[in-house]
Amino acid sequence: MTGAARAGRPFPGRAGRRPSPARRRLRRLQLRLTLAYTLITLAGVSALSWMVIRTDERSWRAAAYDEMDQRASVSTSLIYYTDAGLQLDGLHDDEATRGTPRVRVLHVATGGALRPVFTSPGPADPAVPAGRLAALARSAMDRDDTVRTEEADAGGEAVYLLARPFHHDETQEVRGAVVVVGDPSQWMGEHRRLAASVLVGAGLLTALAGATGHLLSGRSLRPAWQSLEAQERVLADAAHELRTPVAVMRSSVDIAGIDPRGLDPHLPRIRRATERLTDVVENVLTRGRLQAAGSELRAVPLRLDQLVEQVCEELVEPPGNGPRLLTTSLDASVVTADPALVRIAVRNLLDNALRHGRTPAPGPTAGIAEVHVMVRGATVAVADRGPGIAAADLPGLTERFRSPGGGTGIGLSLVREVATAHGGGLSADLRPGGGTLVRLSLGPGGPGPSHAGGAT
């Protein structure tokens, strides 16, 4: 028994083979989809990060100028005039003129030139040329309004400048300006930390998006992967299984061409190869249908016992490869299944048993394919008296490309797929006295027949 799946080696050349061109194209497509998803995410995250950083920078700049304007406003309110002239004593005692940003007062001297008359104590200012401060103060005085600007110091670093004019108490004439010099680093520390956090977060989000895109593209391509693998399995099955019958037919024709007896002595061999070729094509097409249709079966109520009986009658005559003894024990059984698939599965079971279930021991039945078929409920059991197999080999019975005895190679693997499609399964056990018992179940339930009963 187990002609389609007895101990043997896998189909040569399959292990370690390189991916097919179609599979490589699908991999490249997945990488392109991942790259596109990552780049789109990167563009969106970059734009969002730029907006966040720019908005935060403007917010801190506005806060800096607000503080500088507040210091300038307080300073101008503390400047006053008496008969003795300009008085700046209030500036020395107020908090607004201490620390940073530093406050400078420029006053119009005799002749109209601006000269500094007060500088608040504190850390050194950025190195801004005195002429630039005077020009900014003159601009504020000419406009009679607050002037804000951003300049570069001697070292090229940015500096915030603000000038606010002040007036003579009696004449209301503009007599000078308060200039506030601010160092952006005083406010931008928090901004830089935020920018660093945003950039790191954007990088992590982009990496996560790339990984997610790779996963999603892989899942979206999964049907294509499965379809490709199904096609490759069908092609591999066809290439593996068609090789033997085609080789037999070709060799028979070649020999017949040089045989003086002509073609007649070789016709039985050619006919058997043709029948084998027909079975192979039918099995390959059935496997393709199962793989393409998935769980969609054309299931209808059918008499399982009658279907098995018809298959048995088809296989008994002509005798085929040698003497065979096929007996049956069929209980009336109605199941909901796909008739075409079940017929092929039962035929593969019987053909497998008849080919490889010959009695090996000497005796009156030696060399005879002694096979008994049973139907109990939704289970078809096929028992033979062949050499049997080791218990350790049972799990590999239904693997594809296990055909050391010349079996169909995909026979039992196809039977297992048909059983699985119907919610059942395929199992095998050693028989007492030699041989193998294989059960095909077309639905959930008990294990089915556990022994070979009498013939009918």
Side-chain angles (χ1 to χ4, degrees):
M1 179 64 183
T2 72
R6 287 184 185 272
R9 61 185 180 87
F11 176 56
R14 291 181 63 84
R17 65 180 182 180
R18 298 180 59 186
S20 64
R23 187 181 296 275
R24 291 196 294 270
R25 286 195 295 270
L26 282 178
R27 290 190 183 278
R28 287 196 295 268
L29 176 59
Q30 182 182 9
L31 292 177
R32 291 192 187 102
L33 290 175
T34 301
L35 180 61
Y37 189 82
T38 304
L39 291 178
I40 292 173
T41 304
L42 178 62
V45 170
S46 299
L48 182 61
S49 300
W50 180 83
M51 293 176 59
V52 170
I53 293 173
R54 288 288 297 169
T55 301
D56 186 70
E57 181 183 6
R58 290 171 182 171
S59 176
W60 280 107
R61 181 184 290 110
Y65 277 117
D66 287 345
E67 182 178 352
M68 292 168 63
D69 187 58
Q70 183 180 5
R71 283 177 174 262
S73 177
V74 172
S75 297
T76 56
S77 67
L78 295 175
I79 299 174
Y80 64 97
Y81 285 86
T82 65
D83 293 339
L86 179 66
Q87 303 297 317
L88 302 174
D89 54 294
L91 296 177
H92 295 281
D93 300 326
D94 198 278
E95 292 291 335
T97 60
R98 296 179 182 177
T100 57
R102 297 183 71 187
V103 175
R104 297 186 182 186
V105 177
L106 282 76
H107 187 257
V108 178
T110 304
L114 285 174
R115 64 181 181 86
V117 293
F118 175 82
T119 301
S120 63
D125 286 334
V128 179
R132 184 68 192 98
L133 296 180
L136 182 65
R138 182 68 68 180
S139 176
M141 294 169 60
D142 292 342
R143 297 182 184 182
D144 196 12
D145 194 8
T146 301
V147 175
R148 301 178 182 184
T149 187
E150 184 175 337
E151 300 286 343
D153 63 8
E157 298 293 334
V159 177
Y160 294 158
L161 299 176
L162 182 144
R164 185 183 183 95
F166 61 87
H167 305 77
H168 192 282
D169 295 335
E170 295 181 1
T171 65
Q172 297 301 313
E173 179 184 1
V174 178
R175 300 297 297 166
V178 174
V179 179
V180 182
V181 180
D183 185 357
S185 61
Q186 178 182 349
W187 297 277
M188 289 300 171
E190 288 293 333
H191 169 70
R192 294 190 184 95
R193 283 190 286 272
L194 174 67
S197 299
V198 169
L199 294 177
V200 171
L204 293 177
L205 183 59
T206 302
L208 179 61
T212 303
H214 188 74
L215 177 63
L216 293 179
S217 62
R219 289 189 175 182
S220 64
L221 290 175
R222 184 175 299 173
W225 285 105
Q226 294 172 345
S227 177
L228 176 61
E229 291 175 353
Q231 293 179 6
E232 290 180 344
R233 286 196 298 267
V234 171
L235 291 176
D237 291 344
H240 177 66
E241 299 299 334
L242 293 177
R243 185 181 297 114
T244 300
V246 170
V248 170
M249 295 174 64
R250 180 174 181 178
S251 63
S252 298
V253 172
D254 291 342
I255 295 175
I258 59 176
D259 191 340
R261 297 174 298 172
L263 186 61
D264 292 343
H266 304 279
L267 285 179
R269 188 168 181 234
I270 295 176
R271 179 180 179 181
R272 288 193 298 272
T274 304
E275 293 174 351
R276 174 78 177 282
L277 186 61
T278 302
D279 291 341
V280 168
V281 172
E282 189 175 41
N283 283 346
V284 171
L285 293 178
T286 301
R287 179 182 288 277
R289 176 191 162 190
L290 280 173
Q291 294 170 347
S295 59
E296 298 179 3
L297 301 176
R298 293 189 281 269
V300 297
L302 64 90
R303 284 287 299 271
L304 182 60
D305 56 308
Q306 293 179 359
L307 184 146
V308 172
E309 185 177 12
Q310 293 173 2
V311 175
C312 290
E313 291 174 355
E314 294 171 0
L315 290 178
V316 168
E317 294 185 6
N321 292 330
R324 52 180 67 175
L325 176 62
L326 180 60
T327 58
T328 60
S329 176
L330 311 176
D331 291 350
S333 175
V334 178
V335 297
T336 301
D338 188 312
L341 295 180
V342 174
R343 178 181 293 276
I344 292 174
V346 173
R347 182 181 180 88
N348 282 352
L349 280 179
L350 294 178
D351 181 74
N352 193 63
L354 292 172
R355 288 179 182 274
H356 305 283
R358 304 186 182 281
T359 306
T365 60
I368 298 177
E370 185 180 351
V371 177
H372 184 67
V373 185
M374 294 166 287
V375 173
R376 300 288 188 273
T379 300
V380 179
V382 179
D384 66 57
R385 284 298 180 186
I389 58 172
D393 294 332
L394 291 178
L397 283 174
T398 57
E399 293 180 6
R400 297 162 64 230
F401 306 117
R402 293 274 194 174
S403 57
T408 59
I410 61 172
L412 287 186
S413 67
L414 181 58
V415 174
R416 180 189 59 188
E417 292 185 15
V418 171
T420 302
H422 287 84
L426 183 66
S427 61
D429 289 307
L430 296 176
R431 293 182 65 191
T436 308
L437 175 67
V438 179
R439 304 182 193 86
L440 165 64
S441 175
L442 297 176
S450 59
H451 65 280
T456 60

